Amino acid sequence: PTLWGTEERLRELFGDSISSLTVTRRAFTFRYLSAEHWIEFWREYYGPTLRAFAALDEAGKESLAHNMSELAARFNRSGSEKMMVPGEYLEVVAIKK
């Protein structure tokens, strides 16, 4: 899924199986009560993050949580403990032939 971020790659993946492809870049602001709340939510409900934590020992889990917290702090735009981090995603509509 991380490679799906470009129209070129999507066209490569779908090939001749689609009749049309519409790609729109969208903005989204992640909003959480705190960086810790964000980490807890993703750790419990987002598959790749859940699996990453599950594969680590306690020291690794602490390190990953610390790195995620630093990432949130770097991009936080709330001006407080609450977390508001801008992000982008690609909205894709593909029509099968």
Side-chain angles (χ1 to χ4, degrees):
T2 58
L3 298 177
W4 298 350
T6 66
E7 184 173 348
E8 297 80 26
R9 178 65 176 141
L10 289 166
R11 290 195 181 280
E12 181 183 322
L13 288 169
F14 290 122
D16 293 334
S17 67
I18 58 173
S19 61
S20 70
L21 180 71
T22 305
V23 178
T24 307
R25 191 162 302 280
R26 303 273 188 204
F28 179 81
T29 301
F30 292 91
R31 298 173 192 269
Y32 290 88
L33 299 175
S34 65
E36 292 76 21
H37 178 235
W38 170 66
I39 295 165
E40 180 181 310
F41 181 87
W42 282 59
R43 187 175 177 169
E44 187 167 336
Y45 298 108
Y46 184 65
T49 307
L50 186 150
R51 289 185 183 267
F53 274 99
L56 296 170
D57 62 14
E58 284 307 310
K61 290 174 183 177
E62 288 178 21
S63 178
L64 179 54
H66 176 76
N67 289 341
M68 289 177 72
S69 182
E70 285 184 342
L71 181 68
R74 186 167 66 214
F75 293 101
N76 189 7
R77 302 294 180 256
S78 74
S80 72
E81 279 189 30
K82 293 187 180 184
M83 193 184 108
M84 290 176 48
V85 173
E88 283 188 349
Y89 67 96
L90 209 58
E91 178 186 84
V92 177
V93 178
I95 310 273
K96 289 175 68 171
K97 283 186 175 179

